[in-house]
Amino acid sequence: MTKAVARAVAVGGLGLAALLLAWVSVSQASSDAETEKICAQAEERYQALFGDQPPEAGVVVVLMYKYTFCPPDLEVKAGTTLRWINVDKRTSHSVWFKEDGKPESDRLFPEEFVDMTLDEAGAFNYICGPHGDQEKMRGKVTVVP
Ligand SMILES: [Cu+2]
């Protein structure tokens, strides 16, 4: 291989890598924008169903809407109670800290909720049982001491 060809190959490879990187960041950004849009709608649904009433002290709400946890990623202090509320119109969901070997919650039908108090510090991934794989309905909670 001549020097010129080697350089062309190297440049071509870099170009492809840059293109790939650009594509990855664009698809990431669009999925974040999509999540934001869905979560804004979820908030409207919540208001329509439950009004402006904030939850009681020490309770943080996560909404479940259109195969999305809103917010999908959050940080809370140890001892906080998380309340997952299904604000969908028809679809049922669950909350499952599967990686940590916890049991799956009951199936939550529209307007139902489940409370869980997180006492242990750490980062915990969870999924919706029926939609965690195909629809990528996944969330994460970071519990700080
Ligand atoms: Cu679900």
Side-chain angles (χ1 to χ4, degrees):
M1 200 186 283
T2 65
K3 251 185 196 165
V5 171
R7 191 183 305 134
V9 168
V11 168
L14 266 179
L16 190 67
L19 204 68
L20 212 64
L21 213 70
W23 177 77
V24 166
S25 56
V26 164
S27 68
Q28 184 65 45
S30 69
S31 88
D32 286 353
E34 184 63 17
T35 299
E36 252 176 59
K37 202 175 106 191
I38 290 171
C39 288
Q41 294 169 353
E43 192 58 40
E44 282 173 23
R45 276 288 293 165
Y46 177 83
Q47 301 261 334
L49 291 169
F50 303 106
D52 272 327
Q53 202 82 346
E56 53 274 38
V59 175
V60 171
V61 169
V62 177
L63 301 176
M64 308 160 96
Y65 190 62
K66 291 190 177 175
Y67 309 117
T68 306
F69 290 109
C70 298
D73 189 339
L74 82 169
E75 186 178 296
V76 296
K77 276 194 86 87
T80 300
T81 296
L82 281 177
R83 175 169 298 164
W84 284 268
I85 308 176
N86 183 358
V87 295
D88 250 312
K89 289 182 179 165
R90 289 173 194 87
T91 316
S92 64
H93 301 287
S94 73
V95 178
W96 191 4
F97 287 86
K98 189 179 180 184
E99 284 177 12
D100 297 296
K102 300 269 165 48
E104 184 179 0
S105 76
D106 283 343
R107 199 62 70 80
L108 303 167
F109 289 89
E111 300 180 42
E112 290 184 334
F113 68 90
V114 64
D115 282 353
M116 291 185 205
T117 301
L118 304 177
D119 292 317
E120 193 189 330
F124 307 100
N125 295 312
Y126 64 93
I127 61 171
C128 167
H131 310 121
D133 292 328
Q134 297 283 341
E135 289 86 353
K136 307 219 181 317
M137 186 170 174
R138 296 169 193 171
K140 182 184 173 187
V141 186
T142 303
V143 181
V144 295

